[in-house]
Amino acid sequence: MIEIDKLCKSFGEKVVLNNVDLKIDDGKVLGLVGINGAGKSTLLRILCGVYKSDSGSILVDGKESYDNEEVKKDFFFLPDDPYYDFNSTPNSILKLYEALYKVDRDKYFELLEHFKINPKLKINKFSKGMKRQTFISLALAIHPKYLVLDEAFDGLDPLARLKFKRELIDIIEDYNSTVIISSHSLRELEDICDSFALLDKNHIVSSGNLSEALEEIHKYQIAFPEAITKEAFPRIYKSFSSDGRVVKITTSLKYEEVEEKIKDLNPIFIDELSVDFEEMFEAVVEEGGYLA
Ligand code: ADP
Ligand code: MG
């Protein structure tokens, strides 16, 4: 288990993380989300010992993680722009990483073959997607206790995502790995994560179990005989949009409660719609005034 407590980090005058608190359970996939520049990479770099925090602590199974080799060997960090030398090939990076980690070679080559990546060619000449596929294959072949992926799925095609998603589930099952993956795109992560943490305004504004959080929020489409304004609608929503006679709201209220609250407006029908990760965050963010 990872416990991040009151973590702070500034670059010069610029405060990036201010009192970040987060608990990460073992054997799960945590999605760290936030807009570009929110501080996701900074938080992951501190977590993996690339940067030092200004204050606060990170405990891994109760042990302070900074400069602790015993803790660090359980982490594999895949940065958003992994380093490789001009002449590096998938074969040569394997040798490099084998000096640091136990790598499952069969798995690595199996994944490369699946993605039709020639291990003898220069990574330098690969497309962005092929570079990502190479490094994710390596990360999966290392199957560390803690796998930290920074924007790892950015630019991957849907089939590659699906393959990696299945492989991630396998390493969690087989090795009880914990996966922490960041993204600026909520939709990219929603089918992968068990839990989430939203980084905004320098700290974690919302976190928890993803499906439980999704159950707490409902979306309704409501039609009225005549156009209705936001002002005329009872303040039961977290978010509100209207195209005249048809209104869409997100709210924590259940169907019957909504029905009761708006009965005086004589709705023609109320339909419950499914809510995705992104809509849930829009609702959280709007309610917290974070969009203001
Ligand atoms: P994200 O990954 O969420 O897009 P980052 O953690 O990369 O955000 O960056 C958060 C903020 O910290 C940005 O304003 C960025 O410019 C700043 N920042 C990140 N790394 C450095 C650094 N090494 N030196 C100075 N500023 C940095
Ligand atoms: Mg980043």
Side-chain angles (χ1 to χ4, degrees):
M1 184 187 195
I2 302 175
E3 293 163 283
I4 300 175
D5 190 38
K6 296 191 189 67
L7 201 75
C8 297
K9 177 76 182 171
S10 299
F11 293 106
E13 295 284 288
K14 185 170 174 58
V15 177
V16 178
L17 303 175
N18 187 16
N19 285 326
V20 167
D21 292 324
L22 183 63
K23 283 194 175 57
I24 305 172
D25 289 329
D26 286 350
K28 294 269 163 55
V29 182
L30 173 91
L32 175 64
V33 292
I35 59 168
N36 287 323
K40 303 180 294 297
S41 297
T42 303
L43 178 57
L44 297 185
R45 285 183 181 137
I46 295 172
L47 179 62
C48 298
V50 180
Y51 291 161
K52 190 177 186 312
S53 64
D54 299 335
S55 60
S57 69
I58 299 180
L59 299 182
V60 179
D61 291 335
K63 293 178 207 123
E64 178 60 52
S65 76
Y66 190 74
D67 248 352
N68 185 338
E69 286 309 317
E70 194 194 334
V71 170
K72 268 193 186 169
K73 69 171 176 31
D74 287 336
F75 278 77
F76 180 79
F77 177 45
L78 184 58
D80 54 354
D81 56 343
Y83 173 80
Y84 53 88
D85 189 278
F86 182 75
N87 286 315
S88 296
T89 63
N91 277 335
S92 73
I93 59 164
L94 171 66
K95 291 218 176 66
L96 188 74
Y97 281 90
E98 275 183 329
L100 306 164
Y101 295 97
K102 198 171 164 305
V103 190
D104 179 345
R105 285 182 156 234
D106 293 345
K107 185 70 189 174
Y108 182 53
F109 289 116
E110 177 199 311
L111 287 168
L112 291 179
E113 198 181 322
H114 179 93
F115 292 112
K116 302 189 174 53
I117 290 170
N118 183 337
K120 294 183 192 134
L121 297 183
K122 282 188 187 176
I123 296 174
N124 206 17
K125 301 256 163 66
F126 288 178
S127 70
K128 186 179 166 194
M130 287 165 74
K131 284 176 192 160
R132 288 221 185 273
Q133 287 170 347
T134 304
F135 281 97
I136 301 175
S137 300
L138 181 70
L140 288 164
I142 290 172
H143 57 73
K145 183 164 182 204
Y146 298 104
L147 177 55
V148 182
L149 305 168
D150 195 3
E151 305 271 357
F153 289 167
D154 190 22
L156 286 187
D157 64 70
L159 279 179
R161 283 188 74 246
L162 197 63
K163 175 72 177 164
F164 285 131
K165 190 183 136 191
R166 292 197 176 127
E167 295 287 335
L168 282 177
I169 292 166
D170 283 351
I171 64 163
I172 291 166
E173 272 181 10
D174 296 347
Y175 307 100
N176 196 35
S177 294
T178 303
V179 180
I180 299 151
I181 178 163
S182 74
S183 181
H184 61 280
S185 162
L186 306 165
R187 292 212 162 93
E188 200 167 77
L189 295 185
E190 75 175 327
D191 56 342
I192 295 172
C193 302
D194 306 294
S195 57
F196 70 94
L198 172 62
L199 187 59
D200 194 35
K201 301 271 187 292
N202 314 115
H203 65 285
I204 304 291
V205 292
S206 178
S207 67
N209 178 289
L210 184 57
S211 45
E212 281 171 21
L214 283 171
E215 274 167 27
E216 300 266 302
I217 187 137
H218 307 275
K219 184 176 170 188
Y220 302 98
Q221 174 169 278
I222 310 161
F224 294 96
E226 280 160 35
I228 188 152
T229 62
K230 193 171 179 177
E231 291 68 37
F233 199 89
R235 188 68 179 89
I236 57 170
Y237 51 81
K238 291 174 186 287
S239 72
F240 179 100
S241 69
S242 152
D243 59 6
R245 295 195 306 130
V246 179
V247 165
K248 282 185 189 159
I249 60 164
T250 54
T251 173
S252 54
L253 298 187
K254 299 205 172 58
Y255 190 95
E256 298 72 34
E257 294 169 315
V258 172
E259 209 174 22
E260 171 61 26
K261 295 268 185 203
I262 64 168
K263 64 177 192 297
D264 292 346
L265 297 170
N266 300 316
I268 300 168
F269 65 78
I270 308 174
D271 273 346
E272 180 151 9
L273 309 174
S274 66
V275 181
D276 69 19
F277 201 9
E278 191 148 306
E279 285 162 337
M280 184 190 89
F281 277 121
E282 273 167 16
V284 169
V285 165
E286 271 190 38
E287 193 177 47
Y290 294 109
L291 285 182

